[in-house]
Amino acid sequence: MQPMNKFWIISSHTYLSRIKSKMFYISTILILVFIVLMTNFDSIIGVLSGEDEGKVAVIDETGELLAPLNSSLQASETELKLEPFSGSVAEGKAAVKDEKYVALLTLGLDENRVLEATYYAKNISNTNLQSDIQQHLQQLKGRLATEKLGIEQAQVMEIFSPVSMKAVALDESSKSEEELNHARGIVYVMLMLLYFAVLLYGTLIATDVATEKSSRVMEVLVSSVSPVIHMFAKIVGIALLGLTQVAIFILVGFFMLQAKQEEMGGMLESLGLQNVSVSILLYGVLFFILGYFLYATLAAMLGSLVSRVEEVNQMIIPMTFLIVIAFLLAMFGMGAPEATIVTITSYIPFFSPMLMFIRVGLLDIAIWEVLLSIGILIATILIFAVIGARVYKGGVLLYGKSSSLKDIKKALQLTKRE
Amino acid sequence: MTLLLNQVKKRFGKHVAVNNLSLEIPANEMFGFLGGNGAGKTTTFRMILGLLDRTAGEITWNGSPINYETSSSIGYLPEERGLYPKLRVKEQIVYLARLRGMGKNEALKELEYWLERFKVPDYLNQKVEELSKGNQQKIQFISSVIHKPKLLILDEPFSGLDPINVEMLKEAVIDLKNEGTSIVFSSHRMEHVEELCENLCILQKGNPVVQGSLRQIKRSFGKKNLAIHADIALDFLKDFQGVVRYKQTPEGCLLQITSEAVSQEIFQALQGKGFVRKFALEEPSLQDIFIEKVGATYE
């Protein structure tokens, strides 16, 4: 029988048995719930905090402060409501205690006509409300002061209007600010995807291999198909599973965004997902695939070394470390893509999928640099595939009490002729 | 359809696991592999299957080397039983059969036949972890023969089975043999090998210490067993010339003697001593040979 035939039998078996598993349903549903929550974050927060909205009683000693304060509140669309309170301060406090009002605010002017205010509430832990009120009082105070000095509102606006500064790159081929923003969004998305793919599906591969090994079905499998084919079929099967899951997320996410386009349009734009250049997308896909394969090979190799499924987590710690370090470097690299450490690590295999993609996306680098990095990456994947396959071949027959990285040596010895 | 092993050797570092093993197993033959724990049986099987590379020597099946292209004509039952505990019998047998080159429907049909034959047709949709150990073994056995292999390797096929199931599996193995399958199997149950195999090999620390046809091995072993039932004290036979082993039994004794001739001398010696109810000269059992050959080198 053709080896490719067996390859697809194993891949589809891995894919189908995983996709029917409870774990797949649970993780997919959990992440979907998360996506729905995130995209509806604003409305949910609004609903939750809406119940707590209450009125604030105001005792205005001057009688001339509440009206301008209310008008500034209206302009700012806040939910905060101020209501004049006619009683004494003591009566006001009692009303707050009885929960008729959430808080009591007294307003007055000192001898220099500077605004003075006191805030009473049952407890002062709700700093949101406080700072909201304080912010509006600050504006009011500014207005009173400028009025006193006889300055027109228009002039005040002019003074405080933000400065407009535009960054222009002189290097002609360098990326414009707009392009950079777009690139940053897509780079960020790809980094997150690769990070989670490695953590999630890498663990899945290692667990799958360890399960087959610990249930001893592995010996039957490798007697009918070569361990190398088995390993790569497994990696591809899990990759297809991952693609299915990501496709579900993207579809749902897309529909959620469509439904709420008006609110979310701004967010999409800021992520740069609306007009991404094709080349960046292609690079993203390429680096993602290469990165996945490198880590997946490592995961399969590590998974083949353990004798019990419970030991998988301990065994894949090195892989987890690598991806976490790569991710941290990448987060740093997002802010400083020209740093030397980013340049260096963009050639180091386990980091390059993330870091070279950052450089490709955010900087204007020579094509040979990208090709060199991809070349090194592919070469490493091949080397790892060869070593991994050998370790795998020996590892699946190796059963020991404790599992550690030292077993790599033992596994390799098993595959030797003597 | 002959399996040939020629001067096969396997070293793990300094440790020699299998040393200069040569075998020839023709079609329609069942070959028994005997040996204590760690004697090199499983290592030999793994080399035959190509799971381990041999250090030296040659292994051929039908004149060509065994590799993954020939795997659809080979069946393997590993010593450590291995099935997916969470999968249903149907799913995993069909999966394993497809990896051996079978079609899906064909595999399902064969599986139904075998389940019927082993009197467990309702296991088709059960998860393996729900089955008893003995029944899991039946499923494992089915997975190794479902694709009608020409060469079948069974590593301890009968261990952990009750007598009824052992008989059922034995019958299946004999049928396969008669249909032309070459079968190699290992066991430490001598009576199974004695019953099923024409040829056998006893491994001791990787070395083949006894090898050949069962009859020839027994004959060349020389020693015989002598069972005596008598009403008199037989202690004096302990020190009798030519008696290797003396074992008291409720009704007399069981002796191992160096040659047939010794039995006649004993017969003479017993004359007139008293009433002898049984005096039987027997072929040595494989157990005796095994203990002598393997036990001797321990000393």
Side-chain angles (χ1 to χ4, degrees):
Chain A
M1 189 165 66
Q2 292 301 310
M4 272 322 273
N5 249 341
K6 291 185 182 175
F7 184 95
W8 289 116
I9 292 173
I10 297 172
S11 284
S12 57
H13 178 260
T14 307
Y15 177 80
L16 290 174
S17 63
R18 273 286 166 184
I19 213 159
K20 282 189 276 184
S21 72
K22 272 189 209 137
M23 266 307 293
F24 182 79
Y25 285 118
I26 293 172
S27 69
T28 309
I29 289 169
L30 276 182
I31 297 178
L32 278 181
V33 167
F34 179 75
I35 291 175
V36 172
L37 281 180
M38 284 308 287
T39 46
N40 294 296
F41 195 66
D42 286 347
S43 354
I44 291 166
I45 291 293
V47 170
L48 287 180
S49 54
E51 292 169 356
D52 290 328
E53 272 320 308
K55 288 172 286 188
V56 176
V58 178
I59 298 176
D60 184 0
E61 289 164 9
T62 61
E64 56 188 81
L65 292 168
L66 185 57
L69 188 58
N70 258 333
S71 70
S72 104
L73 278 182
Q74 268 161 20
S76 72
E77 304 179 351
T78 170
E79 306 263 318
L80 182 61
K81 284 198 183 66
L82 301 181
E83 222 175 66
F85 188 74
S86 47
S88 69
V89 173
E91 281 167 353
K93 285 183 196 170
V96 171
K97 276 193 177 167
D98 292 344
E99 297 189 351
K100 281 180 191 146
Y101 296 100
V102 286
L104 171 69
L105 186 69
T106 66
L107 299 173
L109 294 171
D110 70 0
E111 58 270 27
N112 294 323
R113 287 191 61 77
V114 173
L115 187 63
E116 268 186 338
T118 315
Y119 173 86
Y120 302 94
K122 272 182 94 174
N123 62 61
I124 48 173
S125 58
N126 186 351
T127 49
N128 273 347
L129 184 58
Q130 274 179 60
S131 65
D132 214 10
I133 292 174
Q134 197 171 9
Q135 205 185 331
H136 287 287
L137 287 174
Q138 185 71 42
Q139 280 175 19
L140 183 60
K141 184 196 158 217
R143 236 161 85 191
L144 290 175
T146 49
E147 261 167 37
K148 202 171 113 190
L149 293 169
I151 302 170
E152 286 283 314
Q153 274 304 303
Q155 288 172 308
V156 177
M157 296 285 275
E158 208 173 300
I159 291 169
F160 288 105
S161 70
V163 66
S164 98
M165 184 173 111
K166 205 177 160 199
V168 177
L170 289 177
D171 206 340
E172 285 206 358
S173 60
S174 167
K175 293 191 161 63
S176 74
E177 205 182 353
E178 201 185 347
E179 277 177 331
L180 260 185
N181 281 338
H182 290 161
R184 213 165 266 144
I186 188 75
V187 169
Y188 194 74
V189 169
M190 183 279 204
L191 291 182
M192 293 300 279
L193 276 181
L194 182 55
Y195 181 69
F196 282 111
V198 167
L199 281 185
L200 223 65
Y201 304 121
T203 314
L204 213 54
I205 290 172
T207 314
D208 228 36
V209 172
T211 311
E212 283 179 353
K213 204 185 146 187
S214 69
S215 67
R216 308 264 178 167
V217 78
M218 191 61 107
E219 200 168 336
V220 181
L221 291 176
V222 295
S223 71
S224 46
V225 60
S226 105
V228 183
I229 288 178
H230 182 257
M231 180 171 104
F232 284 108
K234 193 119 265 198
I235 290 172
V236 169
I238 300 281
L240 291 176
L241 181 81
L243 283 181
T244 310
Q245 205 165 28
V246 169
I248 294 175
F249 299 153
I250 289 178
L251 270 180
V252 172
F254 181 74
F255 282 119
M256 293 304 299
L257 290 177
Q258 283 284 315
K260 302 175 61 83
Q261 201 160 28
E262 285 183 11
E263 295 161 58
M264 303 300 289
M267 186 179 149
L268 260 189
E269 222 160 77
S270 71
L271 276 177
L273 295 181
Q274 274 177 334
N275 35 7
V276 187
S277 77
V278 179
S279 71
I280 289 197
L281 263 184
L282 286 181
Y283 274 128
V285 171
L286 179 67
F287 278 113
F288 181 86
I289 291 174
L290 291 177
Y292 170 79
F293 266 95
L294 182 60
Y295 278 98
T297 315
L298 183 64
M301 183 178 106
L302 293 174
S304 76
L305 290 173
V306 302
S307 305
R308 286 188 297 273
V309 182
E310 302 86 62
E311 289 164 355
V312 169
N313 283 325
Q314 187 194 336
M315 201 56 157
I316 60 171
I317 285 174
M319 182 194 86
T320 317
F321 266 143
L322 279 176
I323 189 68
V324 168
I325 292 170
F327 190 68
L328 291 178
L329 279 170
M331 286 296 108
F332 166 76
M334 289 284 286
E338 294 203 65
T340 320
I341 184 152
V342 177
T343 314
I344 294 170
T345 48
S346 72
Y347 294 104
I348 299 175
F350 283 98
F351 309 131
S352 59
M354 288 186 170
L355 288 140
M356 189 43 106
F357 186 56
I358 288 179
R359 292 185 66 213
V360 170
L362 303 183
L363 302 178
D364 183 59
I365 56 173
I367 188 79
W368 68 263
E369 289 195 72
V370 188
L371 290 181
L372 177 63
S373 174
I374 291 178
I376 294 175
L377 194 54
I378 291 177
T380 317
I381 291 175
L382 290 179
I383 293 170
F384 255 81
V386 171
I387 298 175
R390 280 193 63 190
V391 170
Y392 195 90
K393 192 177 176 210
V396 293
L397 296 178
L398 187 73
Y399 290 95
K401 278 180 209 143
S402 66
S403 306
S404 73
L405 289 178
K406 283 179 202 154
D407 289 341
I408 293 179
K409 209 179 128 198
K410 280 195 218 157
L412 281 176
Q413 255 161 11
L414 256 184
T415 67
K416 279 193 199 154
R417 286 182 154 254
E418 49 188 275
Chain B
M1 294 294 197
T2 310
L3 178 70
L4 255 176
L5 276 76
N6 186 19
Q7 296 291 309
V8 171
K9 189 171 188 172
K10 177 69 192 175
R11 252 198 335 251
F12 294 112
K14 280 178 189 162
H15 174 67
V16 180
V18 176
N19 198 11
N20 295 333
L21 182 64
S22 296
L23 297 174
E24 188 182 336
I25 303 164
N28 280 313
E29 150 129 21
M30 218 180 301
F31 189 92
F33 242 111
L34 291 165
N37 299 325
K41 292 172 293 183
T42 301
T43 304
T44 306
F45 289 162
R46 284 177 172 177
M47 280 193 289
I48 293 175
L49 291 162
L51 300 182
L52 288 173
D53 288 331
R54 57 206 178 274
T55 308
E58 261 185 304
I59 298 177
T60 56
W61 163 244
N62 246 352
S64 51
I66 295 174
N67 53 36
Y68 288 110
E69 267 141 51
T70 55
S71 75
S72 61
S73 60
I74 294 170
Y76 177 42
L77 180 88
E79 181 180 12
E80 298 275 358
R81 305 293 179 256
L83 292 168
Y84 293 93
K86 304 276 176 204
L87 281 190
R88 293 175 198 290
V89 169
K90 189 165 97 181
E91 290 167 318
Q92 59 189 315
I93 297 296
V94 169
Y95 174 52
L96 294 173
R98 286 181 73 202
L99 285 180
R100 295 277 190 196
M102 267 187 124
K104 211 173 187 167
N105 295 329
E106 195 192 350
L108 202 57
K109 226 175 77 193
E110 278 295 307
L111 172 62
E112 277 165 1
Y113 160 77
W114 278 104
L115 288 177
E116 197 71 47
R117 172 164 186 169
F118 287 153
K119 301 188 172 65
V120 284
D122 46 332
Y123 285 175
L124 190 64
N125 283 310
Q126 287 210 38
K127 285 185 182 175
V128 164
E129 60 184 356
E130 293 163 358
L131 306 181
S132 74
K133 224 180 153 196
N135 284 326
Q136 286 185 15
Q137 206 148 319
K138 287 185 193 166
I139 304 300
Q140 182 98 50
F141 181 81
I142 294 174
S143 86
S144 65
V145 300
I146 191 164
H147 55 290
K148 302 195 175 78
K150 293 272 167 273
L151 172 63
L152 180 60
I153 293 173
L154 305 169
D155 203 347
E156 302 281 355
F158 307 119
S159 70
L161 286 175
D162 65 39
I164 296 169
N165 286 325
V166 169
E167 284 311 311
M168 217 186 273
L169 244 61
K170 265 189 204 161
E171 258 173 50
V173 169
I174 291 169
D175 282 357
L176 285 166
K177 188 195 89 166
N178 293 336
E179 283 161 26
T181 308
S182 308
I183 300 171
V184 187
F185 89 94
S186 79
S187 182
H188 42 242
R189 297 291 296 274
M190 305 304 146
E191 67 269 27
H192 294 153
V193 178
E194 215 161 353
E195 187 184 336
L196 295 170
C197 303
E198 299 98 83
N199 290 294
L200 62 98
C201 169
I202 298 179
L203 278 181
Q204 157 70 0
K205 289 184 178 168
N207 293 297
V209 286
V210 177
Q211 200 175 335
S213 78
L214 184 66
R215 200 181 309 160
Q216 204 189 351
I217 287 170
K218 283 193 171 178
R219 194 162 297 163
S220 65
F221 183 63
K223 293 170 189 161
K224 302 275 171 179
N225 287 349
L226 185 61
I228 306 172
H229 292 175
D231 294 338
I232 48 168
L234 297 167
D235 303 23
F236 74 97
L237 289 174
K238 255 186 228 175
D239 303 318
F240 200 86
Q241 185 87 36
V243 171
V244 185
R245 220 170 54 209
Y246 174 91
K247 199 172 152 203
Q248 189 88 41
T249 60
E251 296 187 80
C253 68
L254 187 65
L255 302 177
Q256 192 179 50
I257 51 179
T258 50
S259 68
E260 275 179 354
V262 178
S263 68
Q264 294 313 303
E265 286 160 29
I266 293 174
F267 191 71
Q268 296 291 334
L270 286 173
Q271 294 288 325
K273 288 236 160 124
F275 191 66
V276 176
R277 271 176 288 114
K278 180 179 176 182
F279 188 89
L281 186 61
E282 289 164 354
E283 286 287 315
S285 71
L286 201 50
Q287 179 94 13
D288 297 322
I289 300 174
F290 183 81
I291 288 173
E292 166 129 348
K293 292 294 180 183
V294 172
T297 38
Y298 279 120
E299 287 155 10

